[in-house]
């Protein structure tokens, strides 16, 4: 069971595709994510119905509240390298506006990292974050991630360039 203090992580269902489509189109979330050409709700529903099976190498999980079992976001872990014992948090978002800034994202990140360390036997989890996304940087730091590097002006949004931070967490550092 992938549960924390506030959230439970689970495989996404095709029925979750409509919520995911709404979140992708939320300017507050999309501001800090790589953009792709827009797709219709029908295309996203089809994508959700044909989503690849989760594997240890690549997984996309829904974040739902423990009490209500309400889907509020998602987290993706991938690029798993079992030889070197590491993986990358490719994305994490609390899409439901009512649950942002309430510790749900930090809890979900703790849960996926604990899973990576304890169940998958990994030693390190890393991620990239836009340096100016202070809420995300604060959440990652709260879990134990530390800045390991910087790609200067590597991300562009709304006509401005921002630095990317590479952050890492070792299995012994999880808070």
């Amino acid at each position: 069971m992938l549960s924390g203090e506030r959230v439970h992580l689970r495989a996404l269902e095709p029925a979750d595709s409509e919520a995911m489509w709404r979140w992708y189109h939320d300017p507050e979330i999309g501001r800090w994510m790589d953009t792709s050409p827009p797709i219709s709700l029908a295309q996203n529903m089809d994508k959700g119905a044909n989503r690849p099976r989760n594997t240890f190498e690549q997984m996309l999980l829904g974040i739902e509240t423990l009490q209500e079992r309400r889907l509020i976001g998602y987290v993706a872990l991938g690029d798993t390298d079992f030889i070197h014992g590491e993986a990358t948090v490719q994305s994490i978002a609390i899409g439901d506006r009512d649950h942002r800034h309430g510790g749900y994202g930090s809890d979900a990140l703790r849960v996926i990292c604990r899973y990576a360390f304890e169940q998958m036997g990994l030693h390190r989890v890393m991620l990239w974050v836009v340096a100016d996304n202070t809420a995300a940087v604060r959440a990652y730091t709260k879990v134990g991630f530390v800045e390991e590097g910087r790609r200067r002006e590597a991300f562009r949004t709304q006509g401005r360039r921002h630095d990317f931070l590479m952050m890492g967490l070792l299995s012994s550092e999880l808070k």
Side-chain angles (χ1 to χ4, degrees), residues 6 15 21 31 37 57 88 92 102 106 109 127-130 133 135-136 139 152 164 170:
R6 297 173 183 252
W21 182 81
R31 177 179 180 197
E57 288 76 18
T88 301
I92 182 168
S106 296
L109 189 58
L127 56 82
W128 289 94
V129 61
V130 178
N133 186 350
R152 297 178 306 132
F164 256 138
L170 302 179

Side-chain angles (χ1 to χ4, degrees), residues 103-169:
Y104 295 95
S106 296
D107 193 39
L109 189 58
R110 266 189 211 95
V111 171
I112 196 67
C113 289
R114 188 173 64 239
Y115 181 77
F117 298 142
E118 295 175 4
Q119 301 301 314
M120 296 172 62
L122 302 180
H123 176 65
R124 180 175 178 274
V125 173
M126 60 94 50
L127 56 82
W128 289 94
V129 61
V130 178
D132 292 331
N133 186 350
T134 55
V137 172
R138 186 172 45 254
Y140 303 153
T141 302
K142 190 163 101 175
V143 173
F145 280 82
V146 297
E147 183 180 335
E148 295 181 341
R150 180 179 293 256
R151 289 175 52 205
R152 297 178 306 132
E153 298 185 4
F155 182 81
R156 185 176 62 87
T157 186
Q158 300 174 347
R160 292 187 50 224
R161 293 234 164 243
H162 303 269
D163 291 357
F164 256 138
L165 300 180
M166 182 178 71
M167 299 183 79
L169 175 72

Side-chain angles (χ1 to χ4, degrees), residues 41-72:
L41 176 57
Q43 290 168 320
N44 200 63
M45 297 295 283
D46 184 57
K47 185 177 167 185
N50 296 300
R51 183 173 284 117
R53 182 176 167 265
N54 282 331
T55 65
F56 287 128
E57 288 76 18
Q58 196 74 35
M59 65 182 78
L60 176 62
L61 302 171
I63 302 169
E64 63 182 20
T65 59
L66 268 182
Q67 292 181 343
E68 306 151 328
R69 293 292 190 179
R70 178 178 168 190
L71 185 70
I72 61 168

